[in-house]
């Protein structure tokens, strides 16, 4: 179940999917993704949550990285995006789920990594989403928030978009760090420059 804001956003991304947007990575995006993959250090057997999976273009890459012994739960609120992700014929280690990341359909400590690529500004309640990620991550598990562009570039782009996403902005560095830390994470690194936006945090041990 989604809230009203997520329902409006789902309609927007349904339209994007019908128009064929976000289907594959272009050459520049692939170069930046390759750099992110080095940072993420995914290993065979890893259990990964991918919020906002869209058409599954990253999901396919993640499925290959974790192998048959791993698990990828890819989630999106857009039914059209989910249909296209499922149509990729991904392996059994992947579950593509329609729904809100505010309610991840997994138990505590279910994942080793949460990878948020180009999606963080679209969470309807960022604090709640981060707390949910902390719940499903094991102690010491990795949270990555990544974008292919800087915060300034992302926010400028969204300002010129459809009203459904016009106010979907990346907050200031201090605000993001506070949100992440309040949710139960320790920030390891936080970079914002030409290679893109990159925040890495780890789940603090539960008391």
């Amino acid at each position: 179940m989604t809230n009203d804001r997520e329902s409006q956003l789902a309609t927007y991304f349904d339209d994007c999917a019908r128009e064929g947007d976000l289907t594959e990575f272009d050459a520049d995006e692939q170069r930046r993704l390759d750099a992110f993959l080095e940072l993420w250090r995914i290993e065979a057997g890893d259990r990964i949550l991918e919020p906002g999976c869209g058409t599954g273009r990253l999901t396919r890459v993640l499925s290959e990285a974790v192998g048959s012994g791993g698990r990828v739960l890819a989630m999106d609120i857009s039914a059209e995006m989910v249909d296209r992700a499922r149509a990729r014929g991904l392996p059994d280690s992947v579950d593509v789920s329609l729904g809100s990341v505010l309610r991840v359909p997994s138990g505590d400590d279910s994942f080793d990594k949460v990878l948020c690529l180009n999606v963080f500004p679209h969470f309807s309640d960022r604090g709640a989403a981060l707390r949910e990620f902390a719940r499903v991550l094991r102690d010491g598990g990795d949270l990555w928030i990544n974008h292919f562009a800087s915060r300034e570039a992302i926010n400028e782009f969204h300002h010129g978009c459809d009203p459904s996403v016009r106010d979907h902005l990346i907050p200031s560095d201090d605000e993001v760090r506070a949100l992440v830390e309040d949710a139960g994470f320790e920030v390891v690194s936080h970079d914002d420059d030409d290679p893109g936006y990159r925040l890495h945090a780890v789940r603090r041990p539960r008391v």
Side-chain angles (χ1 to χ4, degrees), residues 5-6 101-102 119-133 143 145 155 158 165-172 175-176 179-180 183 185:
R5 187 177 183 190
E6 288 177 328
V101 296
L102 302 183
V119 70
F120 184 72
H122 301 309
F123 296 147
S124 63
D125 185 332
R126 292 162 189 159
L130 290 166
R131 290 191 294 273
E132 184 69 347
F133 300 157
L143 167 70
I145 299 173
N155 289 351
H158 282 166
V165 296
R166 194 167 292 164
D167 65 343
H168 290 201
L169 309 178
I170 302 176
S172 70
E175 289 178 275
V176 172
L179 283 168
V180 170
F185 293 94

Side-chain angles (χ1 to χ4, degrees), residues 27-41:
D28 181 63
E29 290 172 331
Q30 186 62 56
R31 176 179 62 82
R32 293 172 187 268
L33 176 61
D34 289 342
F36 288 167
L37 287 167
E38 289 189 17
L39 293 175
W40 295 342
R41 299 190 180 194

Side-chain angles (χ1 to χ4, degrees), residues 20-91:
D21 295 342
L22 307 173
T23 301
E24 301 295 343
F25 296 112
D26 64 28
D28 181 63
E29 290 172 331
Q30 186 62 56
R31 176 179 62 82
R32 293 172 187 268
L33 176 61
D34 289 342
F36 288 167
L37 287 167
E38 289 189 17
L39 293 175
W40 295 342
R41 299 190 180 194
I42 300 169
E43 298 181 357
D46 273 350
R47 304 163 300 164
I48 296 178
L49 172 64
E50 182 198 356
C53 66
T55 66
R57 56 180 185 165
L58 176 61
T59 314
R60 180 176 59 191
V61 175
L62 298 179
S63 70
E64 295 169 354
V66 303
S68 59
R71 178 194 177 203
V72 178
L73 173 58
M75 297 188 65
D76 207 284
I77 59 174
S78 163
E80 293 288 341
M81 289 287 186
V82 165
D83 285 347
R84 282 155 180 76
R86 289 172 175 167
R88 290 182 183 272
L90 297 165

Side-chain angles (χ1 to χ4, degrees), residues 28 31-32 35-36 147-153 191-198:
D28 181 63
R31 176 179 62 82
R32 293 172 187 268
F36 288 167
H147 289 269
F148 287 145
S150 68
R151 171 181 176 269
E152 181 180 5
D191 300 290
D192 181 18
D193 47 33
D194 180 63
Y197 188 93
R198 308 175 303 285

Side-chain angles (χ1 to χ4, degrees), residues 88-156:
R88 290 182 183 272
L90 297 165
D92 292 341
S93 57
V94 176
D95 179 21
V96 181
S97 177
L98 175 64
S100 170
V101 296
L102 302 183
R103 292 169 294 280
V104 178
S106 298
D108 298 354
D109 308 308
S110 293
F111 298 99
D112 302 298
K113 301 179 189 296
V114 176
L115 304 179
C116 303
L117 178 63
N118 300 335
V119 70
F120 184 72
H122 301 309
F123 296 147
S124 63
D125 185 332
R126 292 162 189 159
L130 290 166
R131 290 191 294 273
E132 184 69 347
F133 300 157
R135 180 185 70 79
V136 299
L137 266 175
R138 63 169 173 79
D139 287 352
D142 297 293
L143 167 70
W144 282 95
I145 299 173
N146 293 76
H147 289 269
F148 287 145
S150 68
R151 171 181 176 269
E152 181 180 5
I154 292 294
N155 289 351
E156 182 178 353

